[in-house]
Each structure stands twice: as structure tokens, then as C-alpha cells.
Amino acid sequence: MYPSDSDFFGSDSDVGFPRGDDLDFLDDDSEADEDRPQDKRIAELSREDIMQLQFTDEEAVYRFYKTYAMIHGFAVRLDEVKRDSDGSVIMRQIVCNRAGSRKEMVKKDERIRDHRPLTRSCCPARIRARLDTKIQQWKVVSFYEEHSHELVAPLDVSMMPEYRTFSVSDKAQAKNLHDIGIRTCHILGYLAAQKGGYANLPFNQKDMYNLITQYRKEKVKGGDANAAISYLRGKAGNDSYFFGKYTLSNENRLENLFWADRTSRIDYECFGDVLTFDSTYNRNVYNKPLVIFSGSNHHGQTVVFGCGLLLNEDISSYKWLLETFLEAMGSKHPTAVVTDGDLSMREAIKQVFPSATHRLCAWHLHRNACEKVKNSGFLRDFKQLIYANVSVEEFEVRWEDMVARYNLSSNSWVIQTYEMRNLWALAYLRDQFFGRIRTTSQCEGINSLIKAYVRKKDTLLEFINNMETVVSHYRNNERVAEFNSKYTAPVLVTSLPTLEDFAAKTFTRKMFREVRKEIEGACAMNTEVVIQDGEKLYFKCNVFGVPEIHHVVEFDRVQGILRCECKWFENRGIPCMHIFACLKHQHVEVIPESLVCKRWTKNAKSDFMKSNVDDPSDSDKVLKCRLGVLGAECSRLMDLACKNSSDFVEAMNSVVDTITKLQKRGENPRNANLDDDCVGDPLVVKSKGAPKKNSKFKQQRKCSNCGVTGHYNKSCPNAPN
Ligand SMILES: [Zn+2]
Ligand SMILES: [Zn+2]
Ligand SMILES: [Zn+2]
């Protein structure tokens, strides 16, 4: 890979030798003379010229011959040497690197790999120089010009192993790109583009892979798990609200790992009502399953609550993970959980989050359907049915229709999916709040981001770093959305401007757009009061032109509570168009407080920070909030104080003063078990690939007559007749 000969002189391989063909390294203190070989370019030197050359030292001879070789298309290596009685070199022979022949014995049978191709071919080309002690100069004593082989074309010289090398900047760029999760082949392409093509790279693809491999080994010296744990420990040192925990096997190897940083924990406090799990496989060198805990923030964007690596996918691993998650989140339970349907995860959720509603990820479900049922008509109708906002009775009718229409009543996947309909059909789940999770774009988004940033062969440390890149990507999106929501105002377009204006001021921009859709819908609705019961009103709403479909809305004027039978608000936290139609009918100009879902408002996060700073009842929460508020102020300080040096010095001094003052008052509490010592790498789990798609439904079907597996009702031996 590197020109090993140059190591002889202890020179850094990054420095390399001059590629120019001027003899500027020759000793030259006399005046110029037209005929002296010193004044010619190396390419023009004849054998006679070279025989007259003199050099200051041995290294100069080597550099000369190496440059000569590069120009002519061969490579060199150091050969014979003679020393005087003091041990200093007085003669050196440098040969074409194809001189000589391979000495090692060829044993055909025992080798797995092919023999390295032969390069030596007894080439006689060489230079020999000797120190002339009288003048203290090195003189060429013999020079063979002819080779026994073809020389390499000038353009291809850079492909010879002897001349391939990385410059300092190429190395640094490659390492930086690797650190942010770029694949090695893309790094190579990037550097090639910089230099105007692959032909101009002074190294090849294999060199690049070797460089990266070596770099990765350096990073995890002393064990990958150790490096990963000490990295997390370092994070915990900078972020006192960082949480990390792991378990070890009997042989002191890493088994399970969970971590969440400060922002994740604050996000969960604000938006932890709906929790999504995603398991990914084969995304690290140990083939351990990765679980990502995520949810959606007030802008409907994905927020990551934490990440876990599991030894395996059994119930006890998942239980450990969920319990650790709860520990990190101050025991706050989610109200709803969305998963991809893994059976042991489902069981663990039942045990750890007994009160949470469980729902299957519609994106995963639809993807499974695509694999199991190859019928585009069915797939389209099935997708509609997942999201159909209808009553349970209507769902059943539609399902039967659909199965009959596509003749799928005997399809086992269809049967099994129907049996779990209460886990995926909106008709069964619409009383439950799921936020925007049902749109599934979140799940899809996480999967594609992980694919982009996390590489299959990642070590633990790289994997943790790459996950941080993914998370910071999301957090940056939140900052942008937060800014747009706060500092810009939408143009009002509906014919109910007071309601629309109120919504624009209250909700984040993304949620405002959804509310506006409902307001627009309300404009085209007919509403009539059907019953008046004291202060309670019952309305019937229908869309203009569709009188046969109507929804009933209940309006309690004293309490300011509106309820619609479509349950849109219960499910998504957004008032439906029927409710807006009633507000319009009653000339209500603001959205009643009971219909403003806090988690979708602009202040969902900032209010939380402010209101909880001094709540003595929950010390954990207080700590969290103080950190959030402090963090926000500190980053403002950083922005201001970095602009000029006097501001910087002033800010620095007062920060350091404050820190020393506070440090004297008490020590920081320690973090979970991140302070433990020495952790062995996890064993590589034999790859079993991504779980087979149907494994989620492998529950064996029981006979409905006798309850035994292995046969169905029709063939039941215990049937009455
Ligand atoms: Zn040769
Ligand atoms: Zn999913
Ligand atoms: Zn409604």
C-alpha cells in the first residue's frame, strides 16, 4: 500500500518524494555550465550523464533513482549495501523492483487464496553509488539502463503499488466523511470527483478500503464495546441529564444497551403520549437488533426518544429494554403504542405497558400485504379500510364485501390479519388518541434515514455516532419548523376568518394546515339543530349536496364541550369539520379550550419548560425543565459571546466563576451504570437475516370446535357428527 522502501529513511509516507523531474536535490553550488548533466531534466539524462552525477548523501541517490523510475515507468527498491568499520553506509545499490525472482516455495494444496501474481523477472536495471571519502560526495559507479520487461505507461504509473499514497488532506477528508456515516465507495467517488476523475487518484479502491479499515481499528482499540461505553460515558459527562444503561453476560460481554440524551427525555415528557417502536436488523457488525423509540412532536415531525441494542429478540430482552426506557423517562407510560407486530415485543408491551393501546404500524402492515397478496385492487381497498373512519359494523360489512370481491376468503394471511383487526383498523381504534402516527410516514421516514446513515458493518461506536447524526437531522428539522411557526404568519383564506385566525395563532403551522382543511370543509356544510335539551344542543350536519350522510354533534354550551360522533378529535386532536360547522352555526368566533389539544400548539414545548421549572412535587421533572431552560439560555449566550474577543472573555470568565462557585456546593449525581469499568465486545449473533415477513403471524390457528391446533373446525375429529 505505502512505498515501504521509503520507510528506510524514516520519512513520513505522507510527504512523498518530489514528482517534478528537476534535479533540485543534487548538490549544486557551482555556476551553471551548459553541458553539465545537473542542468538537464531527469527525463533527458543519458546513461553517460548519469554516470557523471554526484550526490550529497545516500538519500539523494535514492530520491534521484526513484524519480527517474517514476518518469520511465518502473519502481525501485533498496538492494545491496556496504558499510565501513563505523557502520555508516558507504555503498548502496538500488534496483528495479522486478529484479531477482521469488524465493518462497510454492505449496499448491494448502493455500486457500491464489498466489500473489509474480512481479519479479530478474530485471538487471539498477544504479550503484559509492561514497568518495576524499570529496565526501556519492558517485555513481554503475548504471544499467535496460529492463527485462515492459515499462508502465506514464499515465498508469500512479497505479503501481509503490507510488500509491494518501496525501494528508485526502486522509483527513476520508476519515471525516467516514465519521458522518458515508460509505467507503461514496468517499472514493467524492475524492475522485474532486480530482477530476478516478484516473487522477493517487490511490485505488483497495487502498481506500484498507485505510478505512485501519482507521476503524484504531478507533476501537481496546474493544469496540469499551469504546462505545466510554463514548457514552463522555456524553454523560457533558450532559448531566444523559441516560445510559447496559447489561453484561457472565463473561463480561455487552448484552443489552439503552441510551437517551437530555433532549430525548424532554421530548418524551412533552410528546410521549404515543410511542412507536421500530426494530431494525443487520445494522451493525454484531447483527444485534436495534430498537428505536420515537414519536411525533407538535409539528408532526419525528422525535427520537431513545435507542436500544438487544442481545436477541426474546421477551426478556424486550422487557429489559422497556423497563429501562421507563426508568429513563421517570415512569411515564404512553397511552398508545405502535409496533411492527413482532410477537415477543407485543408480549413485552402487554407486561410493561399494561394500560397502553397497542396498534400495528400501518406501513408495515401494508408492506406485508404487498408481499402476501399480489392483487392491486385488494391492496388499494385494504389500505382504504385500514384508515376508514367508520363504525365497527360498517367495517365488518366492507371487509366481507372486499374479501368476496377478490375471492380471498381462503387466503391464510387475509384470515389471520382479519383476526387481529382490533390492532390495525381505525374503526376499532378511533376512540384512542394516536396523533399523526396513523399516517405512517414516520415509520417509513425512520427506516429510510437509518438506511442512509447506518452501515451494515458498523461497529458499536460507529453505530452510536451514526444514530446521533440521524437524531440531529431530526432536531434540525424541528428548529426550522419552530422558527417558521413563530416568526411568520399564514395568509387567511377561508370564509371563517376569525376561527381561522385563532387557529393560525394557536397551532403550529403544520397542524394549522390540517385544522384549516376542517374549517374549509365546515364552510360547505349544512347544520340544523335537531334537539335542544336545556343548554345542550344536538346538531345534524351534512355536506352540501350529500344529504343522506350526516353526523350528530353534541354541544354543551355551559361546559363549552363539543363532541362529534366521527371521533376525529379523540383520534387526532383536531376538531372535525362537523364541529366547526356547529361553531359557525352558533356564531362562536374562537375554538373552545376543550378542543385545543395542547400537544399541537406552538407553545407545546416552551410552555412545558416554563411551567414546570419550579414544581416541587416532581423533582425529576423539575430537573429536566431547568436543564431545558438553562440549555436554551446558554446557547443564546454562545451565539452572542462568540462574535468578538472581549465579549467572549467576559462570558467565559463569568461562566467559569459560576461553575466553580456552584461546584463547591455539591457533587453531581452519578449516571446509571455508565461508570462501570471494562466491557467485553458482544458476541456476533449468527445472521438470520431480517425476520421472515410472515413470522409476525405465526401464531398457530386453533380449531374453533375443540381448541386444539393442527386441524380446523371442518376436519375436527371431535365434531358432534
Ligand atoms: Zn526493470
Ligand atoms: Zn412500522
Ligand atoms: Zn365529526
Side-chain angles (χ1 to χ4, degrees):
M1 187 168 58
Y2 301 115
S4 57
D5 290 355
S6 65
D7 292 344
F8 176 82
F9 298 108
S11 64
D12 188 342
S13 55
D14 278 328
V15 177
F17 289 94
R19 290 289 299 261
D21 59 353
D22 289 314
L23 287 167
D24 52 359
F25 42 79
L26 285 181
D27 183 39
D28 184 16
D29 49 6
S30 54
E31 295 105 57
D33 170 353
E34 296 265 304
D35 276 345
R36 286 186 339 151
Q38 278 91 332
D39 300 323
K40 292 188 181 175
R41 300 176 79 79
I42 292 180
E44 297 158 2
L45 291 175
S46 67
R47 184 179 177 277
E48 288 68 37
D49 292 334
I50 290 170
M51 287 302 291
Q52 291 177 41
L53 291 178
Q54 291 185 4
F55 301 90
T56 46
D57 53 20
E58 185 196 357
E59 188 183 341
V61 182
Y62 180 77
R63 281 161 65 193
F64 161 75
Y65 198 51
K66 184 165 175 172
T67 312
Y68 175 90
M70 272 166 131
I71 291 163
H72 287 89
F74 67 100
V76 300
R77 68 169 195 270
L78 293 171
D79 196 53
E80 266 178 57
V81 63
K82 268 197 194 115
R83 296 170 194 272
D84 64 9
S85 50
D86 301 334
S88 38
V89 178
I90 51 164
M91 191 284 291
R92 167 63 78 182
Q93 175 162 283
I94 305 163
V95 297
C96 168
N97 75 337
R98 299 188 66 171
S101 59
R102 185 173 292 181
K103 287 177 196 114
E104 70 191 70
M105 295 287 287
V106 176
K107 287 181 200 150
K108 266 194 172 171
D109 305 340
E110 291 170 23
R111 291 190 67 117
I112 298 166
R113 285 190 175 191
D114 269 356
H115 288 279
R116 277 167 57 200
L118 290 172
T119 51
R120 300 202 172 178
S121 59
C122 301
C123 179
R126 66 197 55 211
I127 190 170
R128 181 189 277 252
R130 190 186 289 279
L131 177 67
D132 187 330
T133 44
K134 274 178 226 151
I135 54 169
Q136 280 300 312
Q137 290 280 315
W138 284 70
K139 284 183 170 173
V140 179
V141 289
S142 71
F143 181 80
Y144 290 89
E145 203 175 357
E146 299 302 320
H147 292 262
S148 67
H149 52 91
E150 268 190 75
L151 296 174
V152 175
L155 256 181
D156 296 337
V157 166
S158 67
M159 281 162 41
M160 296 174 75
E162 291 78 7
Y163 299 127
R164 296 203 308 259
T165 177
F166 288 97
S167 70
V168 176
S169 80
D170 287 345
K171 246 189 203 174
Q173 285 198 78
K175 288 174 179 178
N176 286 342
L177 290 170
H178 175 81
D179 282 343
I180 56 168
I182 309 291
R183 273 152 233 258
T184 309
C185 57
H186 296 161
I187 298 176
L188 194 70
Y190 172 84
L191 292 175
Q194 250 184 2
K195 295 181 195 307
Y198 282 87
N200 299 334
L201 286 177
F203 44 83
N204 66 19
Q205 188 177 347
K206 205 175 158 211
D207 299 335
M208 179 56 84
Y209 277 95
N210 287 341
L211 176 80
I212 296 294
T213 308
Q214 204 198 347
Y215 175 55
R216 293 175 57 198
K217 275 188 193 149
E218 280 164 22
K219 279 206 296 187
V220 296
K221 249 183 216 162
D224 182 24
N226 248 332
I229 299 291
S230 32
Y231 177 76
L232 292 180
R233 213 173 277 155
K235 299 276 296 180
N238 289 326
D239 170 1
S240 59
Y241 216 61
F242 185 93
F243 183 95
K245 196 174 179 180
Y246 57 86
T247 60
L248 293 177
S249 70
N250 294 335
E251 305 105 67
N252 223 29
R253 288 179 186 282
L254 182 66
E255 282 187 342
N256 300 320
L257 172 66
F258 171 82
W259 73 97
D261 67 4
R262 181 187 69 187
T263 312
S264 286
R265 296 172 80 184
I266 292 175
D267 280 342
Y268 184 75
E269 189 61 43
C270 297
F271 308 114
D273 43 7
V274 182
L275 178 60
T276 304
F277 297 96
D278 267 288
S279 312
T280 328
Y281 305 87
N282 285 331
R283 281 286 156 193
N284 52 71
V285 73
Y286 306 103
N287 286 325
K288 289 176 134 220
L290 154 76
V291 178
I292 297 174
F293 296 82
S294 64
S296 96
N297 65 9
H298 46 324
H299 301 287
Q301 296 167 321
T302 301
V303 280
V304 174
F305 298 140
C307 301
L309 271 173
L310 292 181
L311 174 70
N312 54 41
E313 297 149 66
D314 62 14
I315 295 180
S316 63
S317 285
Y318 278 124
K319 261 188 83 176
W320 177 87
L321 186 67
L322 296 185
E323 278 160 1
T324 309
F325 178 80
L326 272 186
E327 186 188 334
M329 302 306 170
S331 298
K332 178 183 164 169
H333 283 246
T335 57
V337 177
V338 181
T339 75
D340 57 12
D342 183 279
L343 277 181
S344 34
M345 195 199 275
R346 265 161 71 180
E347 192 49 45
I349 287 170
K350 252 185 232 160
Q351 294 180 21
V352 183
F353 301 138
S355 56
T357 315
H358 189 170
R359 177 171 185 162
L360 293 183
C361 165
W363 180 71
H364 275 98
L365 190 67
H366 189 255
R367 205 180 60 177
N368 285 344
C370 295
E371 275 165 30
K372 297 293 167 193
V373 186
K374 309 254 185 270
N375 181 328
S376 59
F378 169 79
L379 291 173
R380 191 191 56 235
D381 291 1
F382 177 59
K383 197 170 178 181
Q384 262 176 17
L385 214 45
I386 297 177
Y387 299 126
N389 187 9
V390 295
S391 66
V392 169
E393 295 75 31
E394 170 135 23
F395 170 85
E396 297 290 338
V397 172
R398 285 211 208 171
W399 177 269
E400 243 171 68
D401 272 6
M402 179 180 73
V403 171
R405 194 170 341 127
Y406 298 107
N407 198 19
L408 289 167
S409 53
S410 56
N411 183 305
S412 60
W413 184 85
V414 171
I415 292 167
Q416 281 165 341
T417 306
Y418 175 71
E419 280 171 3
M420 327 189 286
R421 61 196 177 282
N422 60 330
L423 290 179
W424 54 264
L426 180 62
Y428 283 87
L429 295 161
R430 58 185 188 155
D431 291 343
Q432 268 300 323
F433 181 76
F434 280 99
R436 292 173 43 82
I437 302 287
R438 43 160 249 124
T439 61
T440 72
S441 59
Q442 184 195 1
C443 187
E444 200 179 349
I446 282 201
N447 275 290
S448 62
L449 252 184
I450 287 174
K451 256 188 200 144
Y453 283 105
V454 183
R455 293 157 302 202
K456 285 189 178 165
K457 293 267 171 75
D458 273 348
T459 62
L460 268 183
L461 180 61
E462 286 168 334
F463 172 79
I464 291 171
N465 288 336
N466 289 338
M467 275 313 298
E468 282 193 328
T469 312
V470 172
V471 170
S472 65
H473 178 103
Y474 283 125
R475 289 186 184 157
N476 189 50
N477 287 348
E478 179 176 321
R479 283 188 53 204
V480 173
E482 192 83 5
F483 178 84
N484 287 339
S485 278
K486 281 203 173 136
Y487 295 99
T488 64
V491 176
L492 304 182
V493 293
T494 69
S495 46
L496 295 172
T498 49
L499 279 173
E500 191 187 355
D501 186 48
F502 180 83
K505 288 190 172 123
T506 308
F507 296 104
T508 61
R509 188 60 41 81
K510 175 113 181 186
M511 298 323 291
F512 163 70
R513 291 210 185 93
E514 304 216 350
V515 174
R516 187 172 63 190
K517 247 186 253 163
E518 301 299 321
I519 296 177
E520 269 168 355
C523 296
M525 285 206 121
N526 286 323
T527 319
E528 54 177 312
V529 182
V530 280
I531 305 168
Q532 178 151 14
D533 174 12
E535 282 303 304
K536 269 193 184 169
L537 298 176
Y538 290 86
F539 295 89
K540 216 162 103 178
C541 314
N542 49 30
V543 177
F544 177 78
V546 195
E548 63 276 13
I549 301 175
H550 63 257
H551 285 88
V552 176
V553 181
E554 181 193 329
F555 184 10
D556 183 331
R557 283 197 290 193
V558 180
Q559 309 270 339
I561 291 172
L562 288 104
R563 233 179 249 117
C564 174
E565 61 177 359
C566 80
K567 296 187 172 162
W568 194 244
F569 180 73
E570 284 78 357
N571 190 252
R572 308 204 61 187
I574 291 172
C576 61
M577 58 179 79
H578 320 113
I579 285 178
F580 277 117
C582 299
L583 293 177
K584 180 180 85 173
H585 187 270
Q586 293 290 302
H587 299 280
V588 179
E589 294 197 328
V590 295
I591 302 173
E593 214 184 312
S594 65
L595 291 175
V596 175
C597 181
K598 181 79 187 164
R599 63 125 51 232
W600 297 132
T601 61
K602 289 182 187 179
N603 298 327
K605 210 165 165 178
S606 46
D607 273 6
F608 168 83
M609 303 277 203
K610 283 178 210 147
S611 67
N612 288 288
V613 176
D614 267 318
D615 174 5
S617 64
D618 187 345
S619 61
D620 196 43
K621 208 184 252 179
V622 172
L623 182 62
K624 201 176 290 182
C625 300
R626 285 184 192 145
L627 274 167
V629 175
L630 259 180
E633 290 305 315
C634 285
S635 60
R636 271 182 60 196
L637 177 72
M638 280 153 72
D639 286 348
L640 288 171
C642 68
K643 294 202 174 101
N644 70 59
S645 62
S646 66
D647 288 356
F648 170 74
V649 170
E650 190 183 331
M652 231 8 228
N653 285 340
S654 61
V655 168
V656 171
D657 278 356
T658 315
I659 291 172
T660 27
K661 203 160 75 192
L662 295 181
Q663 258 176 349
K664 280 178 194 153
R665 291 186 199 162
E667 289 272 289
N668 285 334
R670 309 208 115 196
N671 194 294
N673 63 349
L674 276 185
D675 292 327
D676 296 356
D677 284 328
C678 207
V679 180
D681 288 351
L683 288 171
V684 177
V685 178
K686 268 272 166 62
S687 173
K688 57 177 187 179
K692 287 210 181 81
K693 297 302 178 298
N694 62 355
S695 68
K696 286 145 200 168
F697 303 113
K698 252 191 186 147
Q699 232 170 7
Q700 268 210 313
R701 211 179 151 205
K702 289 173 185 157
C703 169
S704 60
N705 185 44
C706 66
V708 173
T709 53
H711 64 264
Y712 290 160
N713 186 16
K714 275 184 187 164
S715 54
C716 181
N718 307 321
N721 45 24

